[in-house]
């Protein structure tokens, strides 16, 4: 997104945060309602064009949204959507993308409020690793001929009772309604969104052997100092690293021996 859409999304995020800070609003239920509105506007192209038409007054569009959604979703959800259509959007599709992101954020907020956000982050990462390591599973989850119910049942067998409910909901929405996203890019976006909930970055750390707790703490602290933000470590083990370590933060990749990197982390902390 850029221009007007970016500003509209930022304003919508602030309103979502204000809503979910209230004890009277269930963030998980709000997520489900926003996801339903996302699906509606994704299907109804003419409706979303009307709701983002720059030639129409914001209050007129907000009133239409309230009339359409007022009996279908809760008051907070309808108010949030009405506020979004008052804003200007560079493209009509940006409104749907923003709603999808807010639905995911609301689910992550529910996990955070329950003290389970770390678990959800780790589960999203692990699920991504499982998918990348299984051509058969990826094919089943991305098969365009497979029904939504079949994909949902497959995910329930994989995640049901084994992962946080927020993880299951997030992954199920991504798989059953990808909206042009690849499975890998969708999972990466969800991981970044989860990290943003704590205003922190994600570092994918691959080592030949599992890191000890002190090593993880020193590495996390060193990376946080280097990037100026709290760092969440997604840990993976790959014997082919041959005793070394590989750290990826966004598009940046840091390679080096484990001993050298930990020693460097210690020097950074000491400095």
């Amino acid at each position: 997104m850029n221009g007007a859409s970016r500003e509209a999304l930022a304003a919508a995020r602030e309103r979502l945060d204000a809503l979910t800070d209230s004890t009277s609003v269930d963030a998980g239920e709000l997520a489900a309602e926003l996801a339903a509105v996302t699906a509606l506007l994704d299907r109804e192209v003419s409706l979303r064009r009307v709701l983002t038409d720059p030639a129409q007054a914001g209050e007129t569009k907000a009133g239409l949204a309230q009339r359409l959604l007022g009996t279908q979703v809760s008051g907070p959800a309808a108010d949030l959507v009405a506020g979004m259509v008052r804003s200007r959007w560079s493209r009509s599709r940006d409104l749907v993308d923003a709603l999808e992101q807010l639905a995911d954020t609301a689910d992550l907020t529910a996990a955070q409020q329950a003290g389970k956000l770390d678990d959800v982050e780790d589960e999203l990462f692990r699920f991504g690793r499982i998918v990348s390591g299984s051509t058969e599973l990826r094919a089943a989850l991305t098969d365009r001929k497979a029904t939504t119910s079949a994909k949902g049942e497959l995910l329930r067998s994989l995640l049901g009772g084994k992962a946080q409910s927020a993880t299951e909901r997030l992954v199920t929405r991504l798989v059953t309604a990808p909206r042009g996203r690849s499975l890998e890019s969708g999972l990466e976006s969800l991981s970044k969104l989860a990290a943003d909930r704590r205003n922190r970055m994600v570092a994918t750390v691959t080592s030949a052997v599992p890191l000890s707790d002190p090593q993880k703490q020193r590495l996390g602290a060193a990376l946080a100092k280097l990037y100026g933000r709290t760092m969440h470590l997604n840990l993976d083990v790959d014997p082919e690293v041959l005793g070394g370590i590989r750290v990826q933060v966004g598009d940046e990749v840091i390679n080096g021996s484990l001993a050298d990197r930990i020693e460097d982390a210690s020097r950074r902390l000491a400095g």
Side-chain angles (χ1 to χ4, degrees), residues 120-140:
V120 171
E121 286 181 279
D122 290 335
E123 289 165 357
L124 289 170
F125 173 71
R126 293 299 172 194
F127 186 76
R129 298 297 295 177
I130 291 171
V131 169
S132 65
S134 173
T135 304
E136 183 178 348
L137 176 59
R138 187 188 185 283

Side-chain angles (χ1 to χ4, degrees), residues 1-269:
M1 293 186 192
N2 51 48
S5 291
R6 184 180 299 156
E7 294 177 5
L9 175 57
R13 283 174 178 162
E14 291 183 3
R15 289 194 291 269
L16 176 66
D17 286 341
L19 278 176
T20 52
D21 282 344
S22 169
T23 56
S24 64
V25 175
D26 185 308
E29 291 182 5
L30 182 60
E33 292 175 327
L34 293 175
V37 178
T38 300
L40 170 66
L41 295 185
D42 195 46
R43 292 192 309 269
E44 303 295 337
V45 178
S46 58
L47 175 58
R48 75 169 183 253
R49 285 176 177 167
V50 169
L51 292 176
T52 56
D53 184 357
Q56 297 294 321
E59 286 304 320
T60 300
K61 293 182 287 186
L64 174 59
Q66 288 280 11
R67 290 193 298 276
L68 290 172
L69 302 176
T71 60
Q72 306 298 317
V73 300
S74 66
D79 289 343
L80 180 58
V81 176
M84 293 176 73
V85 301
R86 285 190 185 93
S87 299
R88 293 182 64 86
W89 298 88
S90 303
R91 302 181 308 164
S92 64
R93 188 174 179 82
D94 287 348
L95 172 62
V96 189
D97 291 342
L99 278 164
E100 181 178 61
Q101 188 176 131
L102 293 188
D104 292 340
T105 300
D107 255 332
L108 291 167
T109 300
Q112 186 177 37
Q113 290 171 343
K116 301 296 183 181
L117 184 56
D118 279 345
D119 292 336
V120 171
E121 286 181 279
D122 290 335
E123 289 165 357
L124 289 170
F125 173 71
R126 293 299 172 194
F127 186 76
R129 298 297 295 177
I130 291 171
V131 169
S132 65
S134 173
T135 304
E136 183 178 348
L137 176 59
R138 187 188 185 283
L141 293 174
T142 58
D143 184 359
R144 294 184 179 181
K145 296 180 181 178
T147 64
T148 296
S149 59
K151 291 180 180 180
E153 185 59 35
L154 175 57
L155 288 171
R156 279 190 292 274
S157 70
L158 292 171
L159 300 174
K162 304 167 189 174
Q164 296 296 324
S165 57
T167 304
E168 187 174 353
R169 291 193 298 269
L170 289 164
V171 173
T172 298
R173 283 203 297 268
L174 171 62
V175 170
T176 58
R179 300 187 58 250
R181 296 172 296 176
S182 71
L183 184 53
E184 292 81 2
S185 65
L187 288 169
E188 182 180 357
S189 295
L190 288 173
S191 293
K192 290 180 178 178
L193 201 58
D196 285 343
R197 287 307 304 161
R198 297 185 188 276
N199 191 33
R200 61 184 180 179
M201 300 178 74
V202 175
T204 299
V205 180
T206 306
S207 57
V209 296
L211 300 183
S212 67
D213 287 340
Q215 287 173 330
K216 288 185 284 188
Q217 291 169 4
R218 289 198 294 270
L219 181 60
L223 290 170
K225 186 173 182 180
L226 178 63
Y227 287 93
R229 293 178 64 183
T230 303
M231 191 71 61
H232 175 74
L233 304 183
N234 281 333
L235 303 173
D236 196 23
V237 176
D238 182 358
E240 294 186 3
V241 178
L242 300 177
I245 189 171
R246 180 179 184 274
V247 179
Q248 181 167 352
V249 181
D251 295 329
E252 184 176 2
V253 176
I254 305 170
N255 287 298
S257 73
L258 178 59
D260 288 346
R261 303 313 298 176
I262 297 301
E263 183 179 352
D264 182 58
S266 297
R267 286 199 300 270
R268 289 181 182 279
L269 288 175

